Amino acid sequence: MLKLEPSGMVVYCLETGTAARFNRQETRKLWDIEKFPDDINAPEVVHLEVSARCNLNCSYCYADKNGNDLPTLYWGKIIRELTHPDLKIFQLTFGGGEPFLRDDLFHLAEYGQKRGVSRTATTNGLLLPKCVASELALFDMIDVSYHGDAEAVEQALAHLAECGVKRGVIWIGRRSYLPELDKVADLCSHYEAELLMLAYKTHTEPNEVIQPKELYQIARQLSNSIRVAADGAAVGKCLCNYRFADVDSAGNLMPCSFIREPMGNLLEKPFYEIWRTRKRERECPYFDLNNHHCWEGHQGE
């Protein structure tokens, strides 16, 4: 899948879930083009909060716990809207809440597969052992979030490995999670899982926050022994409203999972109408990312 953007060109491989980026000069060498677009017509990754429900009660969760899950038909409409071939959104991430609480999750994933988009899932992993390999294989990758229980993560990774599903672990940069980070890293090594490190975005627990620069250093150190990815804040580069966007459990399009400011509802307006009128430049409300040295590695949301 090929996509032009203001800075050049992006080529995305659906099979491996990787993107190759070319600047304008490199793009012109590969492709006869004179003019580049002024803006991107869609983000590369959209996170879908397909469920507001969860079987855990994490204090830092951004999902609306009082919300109701949209019916299958409505999520089908949203997925159809986001997978329009002109948009060239590369990946849909199914999350929540806990997405595996939905009875129709695999139906939605299969629909995304038919629409030609990469599919991943973010889960606490507790329900994965009940799922069979053919169901889990509808996702190109499944990320298991660490919420203070390394044993639960291990059980989920073991089942994913047995089913032959590509897997990862999401680790939020909370100081109370540091004592078990080495154990989590060992699990990633043993089960050949990628570790995705997310900056902890909160205004209520400032003492728990590992600042991006420190998190970046921890990620670099771990990358010597395992595959490590980091979110935009962790590498000092906010990707919200540009390469990443979020759809909440009511169908509202958000700049990112942590900026809960609806730009419009996909059940009421077409995506392109909402996107083209969005506020392009946004400062992160959680971190000062100015002049932050970026890790030249993989960058997530």
Side-chain angles (χ1 to χ4, degrees):
M1 189 179 293
L2 185 150
K3 186 174 185 176
L4 276 180
E5 58 180 29
S7 60
M9 178 176 66
V10 183
V11 179
Y12 186 80
C13 178
L14 288 173
E15 292 184 358
T16 62
T18 56
R21 305 186 188 280
F22 302 87
N23 61 32
R24 288 190 175 192
Q25 183 178 2
E26 293 168 335
T27 301
R28 287 193 174 102
K29 289 181 179 179
L30 297 169
W31 195 13
D32 184 19
I33 183 171
E34 296 182 359
K35 186 177 180 180
F36 291 87
D38 296 328
D39 186 23
I40 59 173
N41 62 348
E44 296 175 14
V45 178
V46 178
H47 181 255
L48 307 178
E49 299 174 29
V50 294
S51 179
R53 298 172 294 146
C54 191
N55 46 359
L56 292 178
N57 190 29
C58 301
S59 61
Y60 47 81
C61 182
Y62 52 72
D64 181 6
K65 299 175 184 178
N66 297 317
N68 296 316
D69 292 357
L70 290 174
T72 306
L73 182 66
Y74 287 4
W75 275 115
K77 179 181 185 300
I78 290 172
I79 292 172
R80 185 169 63 253
E81 179 80 13
L82 294 173
T83 54
H84 190 286
D86 289 344
L87 296 180
K88 296 183 179 178
I89 291 173
F90 299 151
Q91 182 185 107
L92 296 180
T93 299
F94 293 80
E98 174 50 51
F100 285 86
L101 286 172
R102 288 193 69 109
D103 295 332
D104 62 353
L105 178 64
F106 300 114
H107 173 76
L108 295 175
E110 185 177 24
Y111 184 53
Q113 183 183 49
K114 292 178 179 178
R115 297 288 294 177
V117 67
S118 176
R119 302 145 328 276
T120 66
T122 300
T123 172
N124 58 41
L126 297 177
L127 300 176
L128 290 184
K130 298 180 180 180
C131 304
V132 300
S134 59
E135 294 172 330
L136 298 176
L138 290 168
F139 297 98
D140 297 304
M141 184 168 182
I142 294 180
D143 289 313
V144 181
S145 297
Y146 171 80
H147 296 295
D149 187 350
E151 182 178 348
V153 172
E154 181 171 15
Q155 291 176 355
L157 291 178
H159 185 64
L160 291 173
E162 183 180 348
C163 293
V165 178
K166 189 176 179 181
R167 52 213 167 267
V169 175
I170 294 177
W171 189 84
I172 300 172
R174 302 180 81 227
R175 293 206 174 275
S176 58
Y177 285 174
L178 277 174
E180 281 204 313
L181 179 56
D182 287 342
K183 185 174 183 179
V184 172
D186 288 342
L187 291 175
C188 290
S189 177
H190 180 76
Y191 291 103
E192 298 180 333
E194 181 180 68
L195 179 63
L196 172 58
M197 307 189 76
L198 304 182
Y200 182 29
K201 304 169 185 72
T202 179
H203 293 305
T204 60
E205 294 184 305
N207 294 332
E208 278 278 6
V209 176
I210 300 174
Q211 291 298 316
K213 287 186 178 181
E214 182 181 353
L215 190 62
Y216 151 77
Q217 293 298 334
I218 295 172
R220 286 201 65 175
Q221 185 176 5
L222 289 172
S223 68
N224 293 324
S225 56
I226 60 173
R227 291 182 293 122
V228 180
D231 74 345
V235 296
K237 186 176 182 180
C238 182
L239 303 178
C240 87
N241 227 14
Y242 188 69
R243 300 197 189 281
F244 181 88
D246 176 271
V247 180
D248 75 0
S249 59
N252 295 305
L253 186 67
M254 306 282 192
C256 85
S257 306
F258 297 92
I259 301 179
R260 312 303 285 184
E261 300 174 5
M263 299 183 288
N265 191 289
L266 292 175
L267 298 174
E268 300 171 357
K269 287 185 178 180
F271 172 85
Y272 74 91
E273 286 189 12
I274 300 173
W275 185 256
R276 71 183 180 183
T277 58
R278 78 194 189 284
K279 182 181 178 182
R280 294 193 193 182
E281 300 296 329
R282 285 183 176 270
E283 292 184 0
C284 178
Y286 301 97
F287 302 107
D288 180 9
L289 301 180
N290 294 328
N291 301 317
H292 181 80
H293 176 67
C294 292
W295 175 26
E296 294 180 356
H298 176 81
Q299 296 179 9
E301 72 180 52

